[in-house]
């Protein structure tokens, strides 16, 4: 996953909770503390922290955690993703707003998908968003990190999602071969040498396995592309997120695997999604 400017926190998933009038920190003092700590959207973050706290003591603790550098989503225990409140936990990759574009692209290609796989699922945000948008799909997810698996199981429970621990396709049940309509793989794609340049919130608080994509950032992507056609249903699609510079090499990897490939770009989110589609006539993989 590539570095990006901080996203403005959304207030739509929160509802204010009453706080004692004293000695609760004032809104202005909370904003000032966050601004001094370098929080770009201090006003929005202050509103979220004040809504999350039930007492003045809790608010003070939340502020202290945020000022110490803990990502806002980990302070709150959730991140908003495509209108959903997705639980996150220490050591789990926090979903980025730009990845909502990957979900949009998946739904545009397969609006009636019945079998969905969220590979390298992290918190399970992509799988949860697809489950919410589709008509009761069969949802599967997998991650190599046990902390991510635990988190995703909670986030996908309401959708009846099944979450597996293991390395990429090795984690999935064989019964899924040739049946997957949407295979969303938010693979790590930061080149190894650039991991140290990531913002501290990612570098210091998210697992390296969710960030480091190898020398050019595409090691995991190539593995996924090579194996994906065996798991896709005819006409099924594989979607991955890349950087602008990596997109041509990602397209080449998809094409070598025999998929019809295209790149979609969201200028607003600075997001690049590569989609590969298995030929409808190809029924012999």
């Amino acid at each position: 996953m590539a570095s990006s400017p901080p996203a403005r926190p959304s207030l739509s998933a929160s509802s204010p909770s009453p706080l004692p009038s004293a000695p609760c920190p004032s809104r202005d003092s909370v904003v000032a503390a966050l601004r001094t700590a370098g929080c770009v959207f201090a006003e929005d973050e202050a509103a979220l922290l004040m809504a999350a706290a039930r007492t003045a003591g809790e608010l003070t603790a939340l502020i202290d955690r945020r000022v110490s550098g803990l990502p806002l989503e980990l302070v709150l225990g959730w991140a908003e993703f495509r209108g959903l409140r997705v639980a996150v936990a220490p050591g789990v990759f926090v979903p980025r707003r730009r990845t909502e574009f990957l979900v949009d692209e998946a739904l545009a290609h397969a609006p009636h998908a019945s079998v969905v796989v969220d590979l390298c699922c992290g918190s399970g945000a992509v799988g949860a968003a697809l489950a919410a948008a589709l008509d009761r799909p069969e949802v599967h997810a997998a991650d190599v990190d046990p902390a991510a698996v635990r988190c995703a199981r909670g986030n996908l429970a309401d959708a009846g999602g099944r979450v597996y621990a293991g390395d990429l396709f090795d984690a999935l049940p064989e019964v899924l071969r040739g049946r997957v309509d949407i295979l969303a793989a938010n693979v790590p794609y930061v080149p190894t040498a650039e991991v140290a340049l990531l913002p501290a919130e990612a570098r210091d608080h998210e697992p390296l396995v969710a960030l480091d994509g190898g020398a050019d950032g595409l090691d995991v992507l190539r593995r996924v592309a090579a194996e994906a056609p065996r798991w896709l249903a005819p006409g099924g699609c594989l979607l991955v997120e890349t950087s602008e510079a990596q997109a041509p090499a990602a397209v080449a990897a998809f094409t070598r695997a025999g998929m019809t490939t295209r790149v979609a770009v969201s200028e607003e989110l600075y997001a690049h999604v590569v989609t590969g589609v298995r030929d409808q006539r190809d029924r012999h993989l």
Side-chain angles (χ1 to χ4, degrees), residues 79-223:
E80 185 174 352
F81 186 79
R82 216 170 181 269
L84 302 176
R85 184 179 287 198
V86 176
V88 293
V92 176
F93 183 80
V94 174
R96 280 28 170 192
R97 181 167 174 250
R98 65 170 175 267
T99 306
E100 294 178 357
F101 184 58
L102 185 151
V103 175
D104 293 341
E105 287 296 299
L107 294 171
H109 177 80
H112 306 295
S114 59
V115 180
V116 170
V117 170
D118 182 0
L119 206 59
C120 302
C121 67
S123 66
V126 170
L130 289 169
L134 294 166
D135 183 17
R136 296 188 298 275
E138 179 183 332
V139 180
H140 302 263
D143 202 287
V144 72
D145 188 334
V149 170
R150 289 192 296 271
C151 191
R153 282 178 175 155
N155 285 319
L156 291 173
D158 286 347
R162 281 159 280 186
V163 186
Y164 314 96
D167 183 30
L168 300 179
F169 297 101
D170 289 347
L172 300 179
E174 287 290 321
V175 70
L176 288 176
R177 280 187 181 268
R179 295 183 53 232
V180 180
D181 300 307
I182 294 175
L183 174 55
N186 196 17
V187 301
Y189 61 90
V190 180
T192 301
E194 297 180 20
V195 170
L197 306 178
L198 290 174
E201 288 189 356
R203 187 181 67 243
D204 296 342
H205 297 283
E206 293 181 326
L208 185 62
V209 70
L211 302 171
D212 190 343
D216 67 351
L218 299 177
D219 284 359
V220 182
L221 183 148
R222 292 189 186 94
R223 291 176 57 202

Side-chain angles (χ1 to χ4, degrees), residues 236-260:
C237 60
L238 165 67
L239 303 100
V240 300
E241 186 178 289
T242 72
S243 69
E244 180 179 11
Q246 293 167 323
V251 167
F254 277 43
T255 302
R256 281 195 302 272
M259 291 177 284
T260 301

